[in-house]
Every structure is written in structure tokens, then in C-alpha cells.
Amino acid sequence: MSTSADTGTGQQHPVGIYLKIWLLLFVLSTFSYLVDYFQLQGMLRWSLILIFMFLKAGFIMAIFMHLSWERLSLKYTLLLPTLAIGVLIALMYIEGDYVELTRFRYLDP
């Protein structure tokens, strides 16, 4: 029985998709720099920067780290803990904001 490693043939991915994703990453990086160029401020600035950052990280993981071609169970193993950490960070942010507002309400004269 021969395997793909024995025969020298493996799973081949088209080069075109790597070039398209590389171009898309370049465009997303340009948008990220344009946020600074146009001097956007506040929540809009940080929301756009985070959206562009997550999109770029997702494309890199999916294509360049070959996650798109992996089994679904491996995708869940990698992505669900990350999602759980993100949810916990959001909950800590909300709870911290509540504690800060409570301190200002009851401790300030």
C-alpha cells in the first residue's frame, strides 16, 4: 500500500488562491492604515481596526495555515476556545464598567 508521502504526491492547493488572499490582505491593511490617515476617533476607529485585524487573521489562518482544508473537528478545537476567551473578555469588560460606575455613584461626594 503506497501513501501520498511514498509517491511524492500530496494535496495540491492552487497558487491562485494564495495570490488572491495576499492581495486581499494588502487591501485590508490599506484600509487599516486609512483609518489613521483620516484620523477617525472613538469607537468607530477601534471597531474598524479590530474588524480589519480579525478579518486578516481569519484569512491567514484559513488559507496560509491550511485550516480551510482541515477536518471540522480540528477547526472546532482551534476556534471554540478562542471564541470562549473572547466572550469571557467581553463579560469582564461589562462587569468592570459596572463596578466603575457603582464606585462613582456611591463613593464620590
Side-chain angles (χ1 to χ4, degrees):
M1 176 186 289
S2 66
T3 62
S4 62
D6 295 337
T7 60
T9 60
Q11 187 177 6
Q12 296 291 323
H13 306 292
V15 176
I17 193 165
Y18 291 103
L19 294 174
K20 289 175 188 171
I21 295 300
W22 179 79
L23 182 65
L24 188 59
L25 290 174
F26 181 76
V27 169
L28 288 174
S29 295
T30 303
F31 287 159
S32 183
Y33 289 120
L34 287 176
V35 169
D36 279 337
Y37 181 77
F38 289 115
Q39 298 178 355
L40 298 176
Q41 298 295 324
M43 286 298 290
L44 178 64
R45 173 194 173 107
W46 293 110
S47 298
L48 288 174
I49 288 174
L50 287 176
I51 287 170
F52 294 140
M53 181 182 70
F54 284 123
L55 283 173
K56 289 190 296 185
F59 282 125
I60 289 171
M61 283 179 59
I63 302 301
F64 292 108
M65 297 175 77
H66 301 204
L67 194 59
S68 295
W69 296 282
E70 293 294 336
R71 302 175 91 193
L72 189 60
S73 61
L74 181 62
K75 292 176 188 176
Y76 285 151
T77 302
L78 292 174
L79 296 178
L80 287 180
T82 306
L83 181 65
I85 289 172
V87 168
L88 290 175
I89 288 173
L91 289 175
M92 286 189 295
Y93 174 76
I94 293 169
E95 194 264 341
D97 196 31
Y98 171 75
V99 169
E100 184 179 358
L101 288 176
T102 305
R103 285 180 183 165
F104 285 132
R105 176 178 286 166
Y106 294 110
L107 297 180
D108 277 346

